[in-house]
Amino acid sequence: MNVTRGFTGRSRARHPGLPPGQYDAGADWPVLSAEVTPDLTPEEWTFRVDGLVAEERTWTWAEARALPGSVYEGDIHCVTSWSKFGVRFGGVSLDVFLDAVRPDPAATHAVAYAHTGYTSSLPLADLRGGRAWIAFTYDGAPLAPEHGGPARLLVPHLYFWKSAKWIAGIRLLDHDEPGFWEQNGYHARGNPWEEQRYSGD
């Protein structure tokens, strides 16, 4: 995925909740991936939380889907300048998984890793307190493979490259360990409202 600084996208009426430098994608949901979409079935999918935790744990698809469900209704924002409003994802709050493994008090950051090998790095605080999900559905239907199905990380208050598609696990650390795009010049956090697109922003 090539991203050019200053990209503004199509001209559209401005949504009142639009972060700076973004455009309203409307009904569109652009497909942008750093890797080829994998052929990953729910039966093959697993999710693991490891690193600085009291008990590392892996969930199968059936085990993860049996956990208490949660819904995110709101907006998402991509670093390539599109925003999408009024989306609805269904899944499980990441707090449920983190509570089960009991993070070490020394843990401050996380690396989300995908079944494809893709990684994204995040402050642990951005994954706690009802701010992140493992999402299985979009608008009531199974999440499409090109959008990260069968399951993706969802961290909607940050630029969408942080929401790793085809999520395989979260590793908790006591330091920041840059992920794929962070190693290639993107911002360590990625707050859309502060236009944290690139390192140094």
Side-chain angles (χ1 to χ4, degrees), residues 109-143:
H109 289 77
V111 171
Y113 53 95
H115 282 272
T116 57
Y118 174 86
T119 57
S120 66
S121 56
L122 306 102
L124 182 56
D126 283 310
L127 300 177
R128 295 293 259 160
R131 307 180 84 191
W133 291 260
I134 300 301
F136 307 116
T137 67
Y138 177 77
D139 202 20
L143 188 60

Side-chain angles (χ1 to χ4, degrees), residues 42 44-50 55-67 92 94-102 115 134 136 167-170:
E44 297 170 313
W45 180 86
T46 57
F47 177 68
R48 181 173 177 80
V49 184
D50 55 26
E55 179 185 0
E56 297 183 350
R57 184 167 174 185
T58 301
W59 288 263
T60 65
W61 176 261
E63 289 168 340
R65 292 304 307 254
L67 295 171
V92 175
L94 195 57
D95 288 315
V96 174
F97 297 99
L98 292 174
D99 289 345
V101 300
R102 305 189 308 282
H115 282 272
I134 300 301
F136 307 116
I167 188 69
I170 301 282

Side-chain angles (χ1 to χ4, degrees), residues 109-112 118-122 161-162 173 175-188:
H109 289 77
V111 171
Y118 174 86
T119 57
S120 66
S121 56
L122 306 102
W161 92 79
K162 296 290 187 176
L173 307 168
H175 61 279
D176 182 27
E177 185 176 291
F180 177 83
W181 286 115
E182 293 82 14
Q183 293 177 42
N184 285 280
Y186 281 61
H187 198 277

